[in-house]
């Protein structure tokens, strides 16, 4: 017990050092981008086969929104089904799954810097570590990209279900393996994460994290929170917390569709229960794991909350309502207490929200 | 697999006067006799209680339609979803009802597909076809199978009866067509007289195409933004079919027709155009074998019976050789079987009043290579009681249909349906003119569409689905005038349809699993109008006798509004891929001894790819024009040689019927046929 506590504290100290570093970077960018265009990007996935993935830029200054932002800046679309968006070092990386590309964009101007083709790989998610971007792909590889030259440096083969979200910490990359199909189209679910040693760029070990793991979020003190989707049948979704130091896995038995984290202080967990149609938001304290219900005040309930994000500066909560995933969604802004601030129409299938 | 699931539009009436004339007056004496006996009479467009379009064999030849989808493009009230190229799937729907309300029948026997409930029209070759009819609601003919009664609308392909006899024992037609992008299409038709009671007819057709046509890829929905010139890749198609029909007439009152059919196709699937990448690893293999019989017997002046039977075996394999899954490839196999038996009896109570009873039983089985729900069985029993009263000035018909269905999944009872649905149609001729006919018509019909196997048992979270319901109301006017050398047909029909309990797919769990729900409602208000004029012998002063000019114009208006949920963004929006306006025109000039020239224009208005009518979802309307030149040469031994040259999409218009499935630009076809 004492040993674990000690370990935790060590990790905590280390990670605090690390995070303060990251935060410093963030703050710099915030100061740089004080234009009316605002600090909030919403990634609209689009529909499969629609070539309609897009960015919306939301202004937290005047609560306005610029839709089709990427096309308006670049005269072309992002492509077909965008899955991830992350900002690193002033550049924004958009992972476009069915177009097999990673679009690198100037996060201040929205202009494309470079399009990195990943032919036939179906890239899915991106994470960063010490000047490199790591992109997980549906062909079960992780691609390493130099963020200065924007060229592919190496790739690592993994095993298990399809690669989903990933996170790099302390020289290691943790990649979730969610589900896959066999040649007859029958689906099965994985429950592991690959741990890739970034110095050798090879899988060093596999950790059992929970059934059908998808979303991965760092929550400080060397820990990540992983949303395990279950099997959509007898195993419902839940959250696993992995201590990347001790490799200990802790299960938080709360159904979850999506999570957003506020500065390692709390996580906002959203769940939609398909059997009952009930929506539930819960705040989880990231030190004590105490759960408290959270609710928003809107004139009418959201239809299908899909992407959620918490502004690390203002603590405002952004919830993207994807409607039926086939029409334009809406972006709702609430303050930390759930008081309504604004609602704007965005693109089709708004799934991720990032802040400059 | 999603691709297949998603596989899961249009325009002029090509029906020329000439065609109509054929149906009404020019049928020969010998055929007349057969027509009385056979129930499969040619539907008349002008006198029916429901709007019927007929595409005659002449029309088919004039527009050089080699496949069913080509022939139906000319009917503006039909919406054809065309995924482009020779191999692209082509499905049809009408008047805002989903495509599963449309039934395709071959010589009166339905083609069924339990898996997706819709038929790919692109795979039906038009060899040896007498006419194609498209009827909204019902046809006036009550001597038909219960399945034909059960359809929301019916497309029937009626094949030709062989015109051979003891003096002319063999008819043969050889045809070869070539076209742009590697199109090669040879076909053979052979009719043989055996004895006075027996004749056989064989047709065979092979088609292949590379389909690697160029198109412009636009990188936003604004054509002034970035674009690039691309080629359609992975679109090679090979398809072949053979069809043997045996006509047996033991007595004057009986006829037995047997049809044995086989077709096979291999298609590479180019898929949607995707920005910055191209997937070239998907293919589809199809094999279909069926045999169907039709037996008719005129028992007495009062009684007439028919029996239809069919056995169908079809295999569909979808393959992705570079699927990013655990095995590195994906192979979905589906095997469908159908056993079908139908009986109809008609009794003439008195001269103008007939009643008929039809009963159809079918067993459908679907096997797949998936681990879950790999065998699904459906037992269908349809019963119809129908009546028809036809007098000089008024005709009334009505029927009541009972649908009984049971479904089993892996031999476990899964679902049952029992529904009753009515139809009533009336037509009135207020005046009794000789040379003109003016008619007012009305029909009402209720239809149910049973959820298909994909909706119920595959790729979805099982929900307790009810059948989708459609109500059709049509009121129309028709006018015909036949005087000397001028023939005019004009019809206008207004309709109000309502679809309730529409089956809608709702994505759940991060778009990974979908669930099906009966939540949709659509109100459709529309109008179909057409005018056909044919003028003969007008050019006699140029010593061009027997010259015929035919003009056919048609126009459809369709407001198909989503009325599902008042609070949603799609409320009161036009449903996807349904143009508000569509229409077209066909001009045909026939100069015997010289040549025939036909010009065809098809217009389809703006549509939306998704249920919300935004600028981003707009699919631009288009105009597609083609021209056909035909030369008929009668050889000294009575053989006929035909040479046809065709330019399609003359102005090289870059258009899409389905978003991200570009259509062929300007292309050419040339064919030679030899009939002897």
């Amino acid at each position: 017990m004492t040993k674990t506590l000690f370990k935790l504290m060590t990790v905590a100290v280390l990670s605090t050092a690390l995070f303060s570093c990251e935060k410093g970077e963030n703050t710099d960018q915030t100061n740089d981008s004080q234009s009316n265009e605002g600090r909030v990007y919403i990634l609209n996935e689009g529909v499969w086969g629609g070539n309609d993935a897009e960015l919306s830029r939301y202004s937290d200054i005047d609560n306005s929104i610029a839709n089709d932002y990427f096309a308006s800046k670049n005269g072309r679309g992002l492509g077909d089904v965008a899955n991830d968006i992350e900002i690193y070092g002033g550049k924004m990386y958009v992972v476009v799954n069915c177009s097999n590309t990673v679009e690198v964009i100037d996060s201040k101007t929205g202009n494309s810097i470079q399009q990195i083709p990943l032919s036939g790989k179906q890239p899915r998610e991106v994470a960063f570590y010490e000047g490199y971007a790591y992109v997980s792909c549906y062909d079960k590889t992780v691609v390493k990209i130099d963020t200065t030259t924007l060229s592919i440096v190496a790739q690592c083969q993994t095993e298990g279900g399809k690669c989903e979200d990933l996170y790099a910490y302390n020289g290691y990359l943790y990649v979730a393996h969610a589900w896959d199909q066999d040649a007859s189209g029958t689906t099965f679910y994985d429950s592991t994460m690959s741990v890739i040693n970034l110095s050798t760029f090879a899988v060093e070990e596999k950790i059992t994290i929970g059934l059908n793991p998808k979303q991965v979020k760092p929550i400080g003190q060397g820990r990540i929170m992983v949303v395990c989707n279950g099997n959509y049948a007898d195993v419902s979704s839940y959250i696993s917390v992995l201590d990347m130091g001790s490799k200990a896995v802790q299960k938080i038995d709360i159904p979850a569709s999506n999570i957003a984290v506020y500065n390692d202080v709390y996580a906002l967990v959203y769940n939609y229960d398909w059997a009952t149609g009930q929506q539930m938001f819960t705040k989880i304290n990231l030190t004590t794991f105490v759960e408290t219900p959270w609710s928003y005040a809107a004139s009418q309930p959201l239809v299908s909350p899909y992407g959620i994000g918490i502004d690390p500066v203002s603590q405002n909560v952004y919830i993207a309502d994807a409607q039926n995933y086939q029409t334009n969604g809406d972006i709702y802004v609430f303050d930390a207490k759930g008081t309504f601030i604004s609602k704007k129409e965005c693109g089709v299938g708004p799934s991720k929200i990032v802040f400059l | 697999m999603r691709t297949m699931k998603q596989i899961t539009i249009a325009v002029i009436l090509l029906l020329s006067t000439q065609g109509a004339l054929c149906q009404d007056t020019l049928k020969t004496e010998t055929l007349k006799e057969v027509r009385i006996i056979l129930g499969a009479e040619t539907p008349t467009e002008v006198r029916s209680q429901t709007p019927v379009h007929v595409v005659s064999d002449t029309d088919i030849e004039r527009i050089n339609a080699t496949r069913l989808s080509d022939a139906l493009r000319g009917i503006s009230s039909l919406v054809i979803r065309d995924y482009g190229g020779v191999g692209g799937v082509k499905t049809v729907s009408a008047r805002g009802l989903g495509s599963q309300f449309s039934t395709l029948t071959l010589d009166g026997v339905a083609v069924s597909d339990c898996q997706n409930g819709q038929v790919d029209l692109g795979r039906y070759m038009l060899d040896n076809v007498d006419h194609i009819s498209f009827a909204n609601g019902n046809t006036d003919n009550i001597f038909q199978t219960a399945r034909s009664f059960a359809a929301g609308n019916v497309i029937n392909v009626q094949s030709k009866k062989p015109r051979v006899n003891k003096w002319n024992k063999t008819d043969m037609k050889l045809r070869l067509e070539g076209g742009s992008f590697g199109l090669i299409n040879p076909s053979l038709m052979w009719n043989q007289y055996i004895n006075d009671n027996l004749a056989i007819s064989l047709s065979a057709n092979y088609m292949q195409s590379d389909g690697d046509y160029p198109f412009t890829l636009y990188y936003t929905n604004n054509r002034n933004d970035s674009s690039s010139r691309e080629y359609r890749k992975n679109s090679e198609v090979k398809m072949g079919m053979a069809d043997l029909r045996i006509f047996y007439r033991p007595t004057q009152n009986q006829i037995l027709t047997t049809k044995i059919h086989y077709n096979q196709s291999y298609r590479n699937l180019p898929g949607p155009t995707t920005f910055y990448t191209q997937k070239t690893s998907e293919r589809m293999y199809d094999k279909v074998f069926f045999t169907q019989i039709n037996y008719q017997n005129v028992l007495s002046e009062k009684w007439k019976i028919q029996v239809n039977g069919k056995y169908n075996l079809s295999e569909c394999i979808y393959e992705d050789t570079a699927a990013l899954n655990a095995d590195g490839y994906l192979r979905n196999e589906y095997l469908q079987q159908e056993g079908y038996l139908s009986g109809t009896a008609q009794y003439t109570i008195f001269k103008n009043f007939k009643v008929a009873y039809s009963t159809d039983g079918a067993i459908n089985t679907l096997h797949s290579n998936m681990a879950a729900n790999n065998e699904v069985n459906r037992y269908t029993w349809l019963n119809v009681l129908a009546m028809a009263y036809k007098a000089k000035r008024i005709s009334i018909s009505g029927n009541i249909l009972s649908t009984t269905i049971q479904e089993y999944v892996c031999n476990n009872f899964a679902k049952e349906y029992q529904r009753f649905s009515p139809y009533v149609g009336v037509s009135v001729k207020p005046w009794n003119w000789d040379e003109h006919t003016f008619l007012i018509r009305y029909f009402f019909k209720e239809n149910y569409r049973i959820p298909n196997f994909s909706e119920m048992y595959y790729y979805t979270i099982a929900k307790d689905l009810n059948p989708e319901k459609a109500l059709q109301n049509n009121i129309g006017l028709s006018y015909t005038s036949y005087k000397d050398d001028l023939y005019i047909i004009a019809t206008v029909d207004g309709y109000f349809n309502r679809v309730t309990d529409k089956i809608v797919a709702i994505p759940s769990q991060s778009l990974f699993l979908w669930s099906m729900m009966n939540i949709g409602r659509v109100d459709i208000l529309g109008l179909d109008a057409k005018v056909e004029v044919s003028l003969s012998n007008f050019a006699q002063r140029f010593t061009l006798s027997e010259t015929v000019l035919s003009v056919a114009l048609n126009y459809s208006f369709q407001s198909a509004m989503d009325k599902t949920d008042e609070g949603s963004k799609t409320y009161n929006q036009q449903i996807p891929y349904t143009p508000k306006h569509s229409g077209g025109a066909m001009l045909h000039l026939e100069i015997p001894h010289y040549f025939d020239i036909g010009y065809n224009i098809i217009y389809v208005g703006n549509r939306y790819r998704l249920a919300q009518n935004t600028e981003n979802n707009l699919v631009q309307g288009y105009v597609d024009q083609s021209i056909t030149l035909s030369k008929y040469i009668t050889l000294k031994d009575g053989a006929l040689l035909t040479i046809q040259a065709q330019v399609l999409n003359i102005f090289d218009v870059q258009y899409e019927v389905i978003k991200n499935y570009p259509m062929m630009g300007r292309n050419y076809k040339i064919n030679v046929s030899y009939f002897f």
Side-chain angles (χ1 to χ4, degrees), chain B residues 515-527:
Chain B
S515 61
M516 296 285 166
M517 292 196 227
N518 288 102
I519 56 164
R521 199 187 112 186
V522 185
D523 280 358
I524 307 112
L525 197 66
L527 181 126

PDB file of all heavy atoms in Angstrom, chain B residues 515-527:
ATOM      1  N   SER B 515     -29.460   1.054 -35.799  1.00  0.00           N
ATOM      2  CA  SER B 515     -30.717   0.409 -35.464  1.00  0.00           C
ATOM      3  C   SER B 515     -31.780   0.934 -36.409  1.00  0.00           C
ATOM      4  O   SER B 515     -31.681   2.033 -36.933  1.00  0.00           O
ATOM      5  CB  SER B 515     -31.085   0.664 -34.012  1.00  0.00           C
ATOM      6  OG  SER B 515     -31.239   2.028 -33.791  1.00  0.00           O
ATOM      7  N   MET B 516     -32.762   0.098 -36.670  1.00  0.00           N
ATOM      8  CA  MET B 516     -33.812   0.441 -37.611  1.00  0.00           C
ATOM      9  C   MET B 516     -35.074   0.767 -36.825  1.00  0.00           C
ATOM     10  O   MET B 516     -35.420   0.065 -35.885  1.00  0.00           O
ATOM     11  CB  MET B 516     -34.101  -0.749 -38.526  1.00  0.00           C
ATOM     12  CG  MET B 516     -32.930  -1.128 -39.388  1.00  0.00           C
ATOM     13  SD  MET B 516     -32.722   0.060 -40.720  1.00  0.00           S
ATOM     14  CE  MET B 516     -31.098  -0.390 -41.277  1.00  0.00           C
ATOM     15  N   MET B 517     -35.729   1.829 -37.205  1.00  0.00           N
ATOM     16  CA  MET B 517     -36.946   2.211 -36.500  1.00  0.00           C
ATOM     17  C   MET B 517     -38.028   2.666 -37.466  1.00  0.00           C
ATOM     18  O   MET B 517     -37.734   3.221 -38.513  1.00  0.00           O
ATOM     19  CB  MET B 517     -36.628   3.348 -35.534  1.00  0.00           C
ATOM     20  CG  MET B 517     -35.751   2.921 -34.383  1.00  0.00           C
ATOM     21  SD  MET B 517     -35.826   4.172 -33.124  1.00  0.00           S
ATOM     22  CE  MET B 517     -34.116   4.344 -32.756  1.00  0.00           C
ATOM     23  N   ASN B 518     -39.257   2.425 -37.067  1.00  0.00           N
ATOM     24  CA  ASN B 518     -40.403   2.864 -37.872  1.00  0.00           C
ATOM     25  C   ASN B 518     -40.764   4.285 -37.505  1.00  0.00           C
ATOM     26  O   ASN B 518     -41.815   4.535 -36.929  1.00  0.00           O
ATOM     27  CB  ASN B 518     -41.638   2.009 -37.570  1.00  0.00           C
ATOM     28  CG  ASN B 518     -41.548   0.612 -38.109  1.00  0.00           C
ATOM     29  OD1 ASN B 518     -41.280  -0.321 -37.372  1.00  0.00           O
ATOM     30  ND2 ASN B 518     -41.790   0.473 -39.391  1.00  0.00           N
ATOM     31  N   ILE B 519     -39.905   5.235 -37.822  1.00  0.00           N
ATOM     32  CA  ILE B 519     -40.200   6.579 -37.334  1.00  0.00           C
ATOM     33  C   ILE B 519     -40.549   7.573 -38.429  1.00  0.00           C
ATOM     34  O   ILE B 519     -41.032   8.651 -38.154  1.00  0.00           O
ATOM     35  CB  ILE B 519     -39.043   7.152 -36.497  1.00  0.00           C
ATOM     36  CG1 ILE B 519     -37.757   7.133 -37.311  1.00  0.00           C
ATOM     37  CG2 ILE B 519     -38.871   6.394 -35.201  1.00  0.00           C
ATOM     38  CD1 ILE B 519     -36.687   8.017 -36.734  1.00  0.00           C
ATOM     39  N   GLY B 520     -40.278   7.206 -39.659  1.00  0.00           N
ATOM     40  CA  GLY B 520     -40.402   8.210 -40.705  1.00  0.00           C
ATOM     41  C   GLY B 520     -41.816   8.425 -41.206  1.00  0.00           C
ATOM     42  O   GLY B 520     -42.663   7.531 -41.181  1.00  0.00           O
ATOM     43  N   ARG B 521     -42.072   9.650 -41.638  1.00  0.00           N
ATOM     44  CA  ARG B 521     -43.319   9.943 -42.342  1.00  0.00           C
ATOM     45  C   ARG B 521     -42.992  10.885 -43.484  1.00  0.00           C
ATOM     46  O   ARG B 521     -42.248  11.850 -43.307  1.00  0.00           O
ATOM     47  CB  ARG B 521     -44.319  10.606 -41.399  1.00  0.00           C
ATOM     48  CG  ARG B 521     -45.746  10.515 -41.933  1.00  0.00           C
ATOM     49  CD  ARG B 521     -46.707  11.311 -41.083  1.00  0.00           C
ATOM     50  NE  ARG B 521     -47.197  12.443 -41.859  1.00  0.00           N
ATOM     51  CZ  ARG B 521     -47.970  13.406 -41.368  1.00  0.00           C
ATOM     52  NH1 ARG B 521     -48.299  13.405 -40.099  1.00  0.00           N
ATOM     53  NH2 ARG B 521     -48.377  14.381 -42.145  1.00  0.00           N
ATOM     54  N   VAL B 522     -43.507  10.578 -44.659  1.00  0.00           N
ATOM     55  CA  VAL B 522     -43.258  11.419 -45.828  1.00  0.00           C
ATOM     56  C   VAL B 522     -44.590  11.703 -46.521  1.00  0.00           C
ATOM     57  O   VAL B 522     -45.398  10.799 -46.701  1.00  0.00           O
ATOM     58  CB  VAL B 522     -42.305  10.727 -46.843  1.00  0.00           C
ATOM     59  CG1 VAL B 522     -41.966  11.658 -47.993  1.00  0.00           C
ATOM     60  CG2 VAL B 522     -41.042  10.220 -46.181  1.00  0.00           C
ATOM     61  N   ASP B 523     -44.822  12.957 -46.843  1.00  0.00           N
ATOM     62  CA  ASP B 523     -46.003  13.338 -47.623  1.00  0.00           C
ATOM     63  C   ASP B 523     -45.541  13.719 -49.020  1.00  0.00           C
ATOM     64  O   ASP B 523     -44.632  14.537 -49.171  1.00  0.00           O
ATOM     65  CB  ASP B 523     -46.705  14.544 -46.988  1.00  0.00           C
ATOM     66  CG  ASP B 523     -47.575  14.124 -45.812  1.00  0.00           C
ATOM     67  OD1 ASP B 523     -47.658  12.908 -45.535  1.00  0.00           O
ATOM     68  OD2 ASP B 523     -48.150  15.015 -45.157  1.00  0.00           O
ATOM     69  N   ILE B 524     -46.162  13.114 -49.997  1.00  0.00           N
ATOM     70  CA  ILE B 524     -45.730  13.353 -51.368  1.00  0.00           C
ATOM     71  C   ILE B 524     -46.898  13.899 -52.182  1.00  0.00           C
ATOM     72  O   ILE B 524     -47.969  13.302 -52.236  1.00  0.00           O
ATOM     73  CB  ILE B 524     -45.211  12.056 -52.024  1.00  0.00           C
ATOM     74  CG1 ILE B 524     -44.132  11.408 -51.159  1.00  0.00           C
ATOM     75  CG2 ILE B 524     -44.638  12.327 -53.416  1.00  0.00           C
ATOM     76  CD1 ILE B 524     -44.520  10.115 -50.537  1.00  0.00           C
ATOM     77  N   LEU B 525     -46.646  15.027 -52.795  1.00  0.00           N
ATOM     78  CA  LEU B 525     -47.638  15.646 -53.647  1.00  0.00           C
ATOM     79  C   LEU B 525     -46.992  15.785 -55.017  1.00  0.00           C
ATOM     80  O   LEU B 525     -45.902  16.336 -55.125  1.00  0.00           O
ATOM     81  CB  LEU B 525     -47.983  17.027 -53.082  1.00  0.00           C
ATOM     82  CG  LEU B 525     -49.246  17.694 -53.567  1.00  0.00           C
ATOM     83  CD1 LEU B 525     -50.467  16.917 -53.114  1.00  0.00           C
ATOM     84  CD2 LEU B 525     -49.311  19.115 -53.029  1.00  0.00           C
ATOM     85  N   GLY B 526     -47.628  15.239 -56.025  1.00  0.00           N
ATOM     86  CA  GLY B 526     -46.946  15.279 -57.309  1.00  0.00           C
ATOM     87  C   GLY B 526     -47.866  15.355 -58.498  1.00  0.00           C
ATOM     88  O   GLY B 526     -49.096  15.240 -58.379  1.00  0.00           O
ATOM     89  N   LEU B 527     -47.246  15.555 -59.631  1.00  0.00           N
ATOM     90  CA  LEU B 527     -47.966  15.663 -60.880  1.00  0.00           C
ATOM     91  C   LEU B 527     -47.128  15.074 -62.002  1.00  0.00           C
ATOM     92  O   LEU B 527     -45.938  15.330 -62.082  1.00  0.00           O
ATOM     93  CB  LEU B 527     -48.253  17.144 -61.161  1.00  0.00           C
ATOM     94  CG  LEU B 527     -49.028  17.441 -62.437  1.00  0.00           C
ATOM     95  CD1 LEU B 527     -50.242  18.285 -62.086  1.00  0.00           C
ATOM     96  CD2 LEU B 527     -48.175  18.177 -63.438  1.00  0.00           C
TER      97      LEU B 527
END
